[in-house]
């Protein structure tokens, strides 16, 4: 009986020890699980924080990428505009250069025409100087060849005379010969008189006298030396047109500006073709 009781006690004690050990193991396991849960929660929180930070960083990077894309698009657009502007400027520069070259060509053409025209005037001047010698003052004034005869040579000492003297016919014949040598030239015969005391009722004043004197020269050139009257014009200046003390008759060889401009135009046309 004692053995049974002793055995029972030992068994109970063993069972109690085993139970206590299991309880302790369970508690340790629970504590371990709690610790792992705590660690897991901490790691989760840390992961969430990192995720949040990463999302923020991603959003920032996306914003930067968007910014860069917009900047890049703007740069490309500006580059395109700059290229277009540069091309337009280059085109404008080329147009301006062509325009300058064209203007240089036109200026050269005009200068060549002026030189040619000046050469023509010089040749014309030479023709009249060779023809008349010292019987008249000959020069170039305002682009025209100017031949000045003293009225005493043409009409004598009477300052109211408008009849050409016989001794002046030889001089006018020489003038006519020079005009015939240059059939394309037109002339203006300009009277300049400065007479006083008009008692002759056939003459009103110096305007009238200047016109009559110039007309007498024209008639002689036309009738005696066969100069085409269509080439001649008459101009009366009276005492207000005199450029010296001695009255005179001036022969102005028409500069023929129309022909000069025609020459320029023709040369410019030829330059354009070239």
């Amino acid at each position: 009986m004692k053995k049974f009781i002793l055995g029972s006690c030992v068994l109970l004690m063993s069972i109690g020890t085993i139970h206590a050990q299991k309880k302790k193991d369970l508690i340790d396991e629970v504590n371990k699980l709690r610790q792992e849960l705590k660690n897991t929660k901490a790691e989760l929180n840390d992961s969430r924080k990192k995720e949040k930070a990463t999302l923020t960083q991603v959003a920032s990077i996306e914003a930067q990428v968007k910014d860069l894309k917009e900047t890049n698009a703007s740069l490309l657009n500006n580059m395109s505009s700059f290229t277009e502007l540069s091309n337009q400027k280059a085109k404008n520069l080329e147009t301006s250069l062509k325009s300058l070259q064209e203007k240089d060509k036109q200026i050269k053409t005009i200068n060549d025409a002026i030189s040619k025209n000046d050469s023509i005037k010089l040749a014309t001047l030479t023709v009249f100087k060779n023809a008349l010698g010292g019987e008249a003052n000959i020069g170039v004034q305002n682009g025209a060849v100017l031949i000045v005869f003293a009225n005493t040579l043409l009409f004598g000492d009477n300052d109211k005379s408008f009849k050409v003297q016989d001794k002046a016919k030889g001089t006018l014949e020489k003038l006519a010969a020079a005009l015939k040598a240059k059939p394309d030239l037109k002339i203006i015969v300009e009277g300049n008189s400065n007479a006083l005391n008009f008692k002759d009722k056939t003459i009103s004043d110096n305007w009238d006298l200047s016109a009559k004197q110039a007309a007498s020269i024209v008639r002689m050139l036309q009738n005696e030396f066969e100069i085409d009257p269509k080439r001649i014009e008459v101009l009366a200046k009276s005492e207000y047109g005199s450029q010296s003390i001695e009255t005179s008759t001036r022969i102005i060889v028409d500069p023929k500006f129309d022909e000069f401009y025609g020459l320029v135009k023709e040369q410019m046309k030829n330059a354009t073709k070239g």
Side-chain angles (χ1 to χ4, degrees), residues 12-252:
L12 288 172
M13 286 177 63
S14 297
I15 292 171
T17 301
I18 292 170
H19 181 73
Q21 183 62 42
K22 286 184 176 180
K23 184 178 180 180
K24 182 178 180 301
D25 289 342
L26 287 173
I27 291 172
D28 289 341
E29 186 67 25
V30 168
N31 288 334
K32 183 181 177 181
L33 290 173
R34 282 178 178 172
Q35 185 62 43
E36 287 179 359
L37 180 61
K38 184 179 179 180
N39 291 339
T40 301
K41 285 181 177 180
E43 289 177 1
L44 180 60
N45 288 334
D46 188 51
S47 295
R48 285 175 177 172
K49 287 179 182 178
K50 287 181 179 179
E51 181 186 12
K52 187 176 181 180
T54 301
L55 290 174
T56 302
Q57 189 175 7
V58 168
S60 176
I61 292 172
E62 286 179 346
Q64 290 177 16
V65 169
K66 183 181 178 182
D67 237 9
L68 287 173
K69 285 182 178 179
E70 290 177 354
T71 302
N72 187 49
S74 177
L75 287 173
L76 289 174
N77 186 52
N78 289 340
M79 185 178 293
S80 177
S81 298
F82 177 74
T83 302
E84 185 178 349
L85 184 62
S86 297
N87 291 337
Q88 185 61 43
K89 284 186 176 179
K91 187 176 179 181
N92 291 343
L93 185 61
E94 185 179 355
T95 302
S96 298
L97 183 60
K98 285 182 179 178
S99 178
L100 285 174
Q101 290 173 343
E102 187 64 30
K103 288 186 185 300
D104 285 341
K105 188 184 293 184
Q106 290 175 356
I107 290 171
K108 183 180 182 303
T109 299
I110 292 173
N111 285 336
D112 290 345
I114 290 173
S115 298
K116 185 174 181 180
N117 195 52
D118 288 343
S119 298
I120 292 172
K121 287 176 188 174
L122 181 60
T124 303
L125 179 68
T126 302
V127 167
F128 284 106
K129 279 192 172 183
N130 290 340
L132 295 169
E135 297 181 49
N137 291 324
I138 306 172
V140 176
Q141 182 176 311
N142 298 327
V145 175
L146 183 65
I147 305 166
V148 182
F149 295 103
N151 277 356
T152 52
L153 170 66
L154 298 175
F155 306 109
D157 294 329
N158 182 356
D159 60 2
K160 299 177 191 64
S161 173
F162 54 86
K163 181 180 179 181
V164 179
Q165 293 190 110
D166 290 337
K167 66 178 183 178
K169 290 181 180 179
T171 300
L172 293 178
E173 185 176 7
K174 294 175 184 177
L175 174 64
L179 289 173
K180 286 180 178 179
K182 292 285 186 179
D184 58 326
L185 293 178
K186 293 182 179 181
I187 65 170
I188 298 172
V189 179
E190 177 186 285
N192 292 272
S193 61
N194 190 19
L196 301 173
N197 301 320
F198 288 95
K199 295 179 180 178
D200 187 349
K201 299 300 181 181
T202 61
I203 303 174
S204 302
D205 50 26
N206 278 306
W207 291 108
D208 189 17
L209 178 57
S210 294
K212 289 180 184 299
Q213 289 174 340
S216 294
I217 300 297
V218 171
R219 288 192 191 96
M220 181 162 287
L221 291 173
Q222 175 187 352
N223 298 329
E224 296 198 25
F225 305 118
E226 300 178 344
I227 301 298
D228 186 357
K230 293 179 181 178
R231 297 174 58 187
I232 310 173
E233 294 180 15
V234 170
L235 184 64
K237 287 291 188 72
S238 76
E239 69 268 33
Y240 304 108
S242 299
Q243 296 185 348
S244 62
I245 296 175
E246 185 178 5
T247 57
S248 61
T249 297
R250 308 198 314 169
I251 308 297
I252 303 168

Side-chain angles (χ1 to χ4, degrees), residues 251-262:
I251 308 297
I252 303 168
V253 179
D254 192 344
K256 300 171 68 176
F257 290 114
D258 290 342
E259 289 194 13
F260 169 69
Y261 288 123

